[in-house]
Amino acid sequence: IKAGVALNPATPIETIKHVLEDIDMVLIMTVNPGFGGQSFIEGMIPKIKELKEIIDSKNLNVDIQVDGGIKPDIVAKVVEAGANVIVAGSAIFNSDDILETVNLFRKNASK
């Protein structure tokens, strides 16, 4: 069993600093929850970076997951910012070729 915390776009990292030592994953929502197919909120990149810096400074083993509007052209940015778990729903399941899209995600994430 693993413990995780989810942060909506408007929720600051500050609200979870006191529990980072007790959790295994932080999910940063990069859209406002509600429905699939929304556009990625670019302003979440600094939030991912901030969380990664805090985790590294405390030498913690906490995964950073991102969910919302993640497309093949966005995945490299979120991985570079510090995310290591990616959720991609609509971009994959609404694509014409799921396997090709998954492979493109993998390729872009490893840049």
Side-chain angles (χ1 to χ4, degrees), residues 38-94:
Q38 295 182 63
S39 296
F40 177 80
I41 300 172
E42 194 73 32
M44 295 298 99
I45 295 292
K47 188 174 188 175
I48 298 166
K49 287 180 182 178
E50 177 187 359
L51 178 59
K52 177 66 172 163
E53 289 171 5
I54 294 167
I55 289 169
D56 288 349
S57 73
K58 294 183 176 200
N59 199 30
L60 300 174
N61 185 22
V62 176
D63 289 319
I64 300 174
Q65 179 178 10
V66 293
D67 182 7
I70 308 298
K71 295 182 178 172
D73 61 330
I74 299 288
V75 71
K77 290 180 183 181
V78 297
V79 169
E80 183 179 319
N84 64 324
V85 180
I86 308 300
V87 177
S90 299
I92 292 174
F93 295 110
N94 291 340

Side-chain angles (χ1 to χ4, degrees), residues 88-101:
S90 299
I92 292 174
F93 295 110
N94 291 340
S95 70
D96 292 331
D97 186 334
I98 290 175
L99 182 58
E100 181 181 318
T101 303

Side-chain angles (χ1 to χ4, degrees), residues 1-7 16 19 22-27 62-63 65:
I1 297 174
K2 294 189 175 193
V5 173
L7 297 178
I16 62 163
V19 297
D22 301 318
I23 61 175
D24 301 294
M25 179 183 290
V26 176
L27 165 60
V62 176
D63 289 319
Q65 179 178 10

